[in-house]
């Protein structure tokens, strides 16, 4: 997932010097980890800088060409100054190498939560590719080791999914399950996500998990030749009929629970106080049903995800027709 070689932390930069520099002499860093800046936030900052002045200096480093500088921290302020017609900027001038500058940029944005999850993932991956261990990256930015790994994993998303995560339209937690899927399965997930077919984030995660399980267990739901026999078909139909019958009978239990829920607690106390075991015994029975129902619901949620995640491929010529009376 990430590089395992031990990487030494870059040496500390020399003490910076505060200067006033023409904005035109400062250029953006093409390797800046943060890429997205909204016009609205830049307009607001430009208005504030014109009214109140520059409250915080940017950070720059010298370029080989005399009198020119490259931004390290403060690109948003630099962009706002250009937009607002501000010609000069207060800047802390640092002596630092490319890696030190990049780390400073990541730290600035991560700590202020200015980066999108995808920008953050790309930044951590870049350090990993440079030889930094996951543990060192985590220590550097005050994150846990699993957090760094999970962020880097997001780079496995297809472009459409990355854009949704960057825009906040796909939660990072769900995206992590999706990034583990093949490109085709990711596209399938995104279609369902866009159509609003998941009732909750948890349902979406379960679907992604089921897709992964189906990929790892090739043919998991494939019907093999043995299951094409009339006997196997009859067994499946019989089991289906039995399970469906049991679930259908739960409707009666639901009606009973609805009636009890509508009763006043004083009436329940009066009626059940003299029964065997008292109110507590009957409450225990209902609580038992609630626990069992919760477990069944969780199993059905996973079953629903599995059924949606896999495709049952049948050979039309090999499938035995099911008698009509079996399907009723």
């Amino acid at each position: 997932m990430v590089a395992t070689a031990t990487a030494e932390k870059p040496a500390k930069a020399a003490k910076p010097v505060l200067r006033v520099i023409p904005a035109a002499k400062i250029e953006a860093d093409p390797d800046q980890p943060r890429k997205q800046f909204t016009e609205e936030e830049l307009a607001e900052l430009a208005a504030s800088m014109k009214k109140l002045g520059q409250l915080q200096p940017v950070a720059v480093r010298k370029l080989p060409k005399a009198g020119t500088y490259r931004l390290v921290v403060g690109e948003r302020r630099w962009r706002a100054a250009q937009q607002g017609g501000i010609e000069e900027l207060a800047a802390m001038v640092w002596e630092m190498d490319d890696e030190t500058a990049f780390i400073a940029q990541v730290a600035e944005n991560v700590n202020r939560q200015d980066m999108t999850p995808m920008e953050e993932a790309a930044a951590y991956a870049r350090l990993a590719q440079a030889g930094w261990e996951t543990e060192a990256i985590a220590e550097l930015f005050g994150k846990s080791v699993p957090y760094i790994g999970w962020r880097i994993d997001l780079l496995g998303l297809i472009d459409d999914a990355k854009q949704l995560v960057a825009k906040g339209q796909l939660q990072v937690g769900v995206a992590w399950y999706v990034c583990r899927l093949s490109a085709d399965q990711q596209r399938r997930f995104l279609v369902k996500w866009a159509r609003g077919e998941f009732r909750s984030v948890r349902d979406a995660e379960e679907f992604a998990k089921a897709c992964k399980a189906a990929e790892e267990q090739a043919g998991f739901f494939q019907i093999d030749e043995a299951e094409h026999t009339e006997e196997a078909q009859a067994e499946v139909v019989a089991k289906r009929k039995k399970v469906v019958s049991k679930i259908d009978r739960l409707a009666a239990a639901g009606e009973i629970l609805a009636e009890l829920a509508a009763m006043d607690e004083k009436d329940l106390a009066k009626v059940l106080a003299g029964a065997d075991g008292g109110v507590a015994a009957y409450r225990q029975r209902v609580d038992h049903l609630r626990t069992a129902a919760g477990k069944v619901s969780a199993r059905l949620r996973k079953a629903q995800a599995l059924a949606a995640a896999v495709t049952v491929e049948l050979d039309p010529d090999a499938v035995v027709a099911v008698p009509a009376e079996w399907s009723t």
Side-chain angles (χ1 to χ4, degrees):
M1 178 170 56
V2 293
T4 55
T6 302
E8 294 183 0
K9 296 182 180 180
K12 292 184 178 179
K15 187 175 181 180
V17 177
L18 180 62
R19 293 180 181 173
V20 176
I21 300 174
K25 296 291 186 180
I26 302 173
E27 67 175 40
D29 188 342
D31 293 328
Q32 159 70 251
R34 186 185 179 197
K35 305 296 183 184
Q36 296 187 14
F37 300 88
T38 67
E39 290 301 320
E40 182 180 357
E41 70 173 333
L42 290 177
E44 290 179 355
L45 182 55
S48 174
M49 290 176 68
K50 291 178 69 175
K51 182 178 180 180
L52 303 175
Q54 183 185 351
L55 300 180
Q56 184 179 5
V58 299
V60 300
R61 55 184 176 134
K62 292 181 179 179
L63 290 176
K65 182 180 178 181
T68 60
Y69 305 84
R70 175 167 292 171
L71 276 167
V72 177
V73 172
E75 183 168 343
R76 193 167 66 99
R77 276 162 277 162
W78 173 74
R79 286 173 178 255
Q82 291 182 313
Q83 185 169 316
I86 299 172
E87 297 182 353
E88 294 183 324
L89 286 172
M92 301 297 293
V93 182
W94 291 81
E95 298 284 349
M96 59 176 64
D97 58 23
D98 291 347
E99 186 178 70
T100 305
F102 181 76
I103 290 171
Q105 291 166 344
V106 176
E108 167 77 4
N109 289 303
V110 167
N111 292 336
R112 291 172 47 191
Q113 298 182 336
D114 280 349
M115 299 175 76
T116 70
M118 297 313 309
E119 290 172 342
E120 192 179 354
Y124 296 150
R126 176 175 164 179
L127 291 175
Q129 290 164 3
W132 284 68
E133 289 185 341
T134 310
E135 292 78 4
I137 298 173
E139 181 182 355
L140 188 63
F141 299 111
K143 306 293 184 182
S144 69
V145 172
Y147 178 94
I148 300 297
W150 292 332
R151 276 294 189 268
I152 294 176
D153 286 344
L154 293 179
L155 296 177
L157 291 168
I158 62 175
D159 289 343
D160 288 344
K162 288 178 180 177
Q163 291 178 16
L164 290 179
V165 173
K167 295 176 181 177
Q169 296 173 355
L170 177 63
Q171 292 92 328
V172 173
V174 179
W176 183 81
Y177 288 104
V178 177
C179 77
R180 301 164 67 233
L181 304 176
S182 66
D184 286 342
Q185 287 284 43
Q186 288 190 39
R187 294 187 189 95
R188 187 179 179 196
F189 174 92
L190 292 182
V191 169
K192 289 180 172 289
W193 181 266
R195 291 175 177 171
E197 294 184 13
F198 301 115
R199 294 189 303 172
S200 66
V201 167
R202 188 172 180 183
D203 281 348
E205 292 176 353
E206 290 292 350
F207 176 80
K209 290 179 187 177
C211 287
K212 183 62 177 176
E215 288 182 340
E216 291 177 344
Q217 303 179 47
F220 175 61
F221 262 44
Q222 302 288 328
I223 295 183
D224 59 30
E225 292 183 1
E227 291 176 314
H228 290 160
T229 66
E230 183 175 348
E231 181 180 354
Q233 289 279 329
E235 184 179 352
V236 170
V237 173
K239 286 182 178 179
R240 179 185 300 124
K241 188 173 182 180
K242 182 182 293 186
V243 172
V244 170
S245 176
K246 289 180 179 179
I247 294 176
D248 286 343
R249 292 205 301 272
L250 290 176
E255 292 177 1
I256 294 172
L257 289 173
E259 291 178 9
L260 292 173
M263 292 183 65
D264 183 79
E265 56 268 23
K266 293 181 179 179
D267 290 337
L268 285 171
K270 185 186 300 183
V271 171
L272 296 178
D276 291 341
V279 178
Y282 292 95
R283 179 187 173 186
Q284 186 176 22
R285 291 187 188 181
V286 173
D287 286 346
H288 175 73
L289 289 173
R290 180 177 61 183
T291 301
K295 292 179 180 179
V296 172
S297 179
R299 291 289 177 88
L300 288 174
R301 181 188 296 109
K302 293 180 180 179
Q304 180 182 359
L306 281 171
V310 297
T311 301
V312 179
E313 297 179 358
L314 300 175
D315 179 356
D317 296 329
V319 177
V320 178
V322 179
E325 62 270 19
W326 289 359
S327 60
T328 58

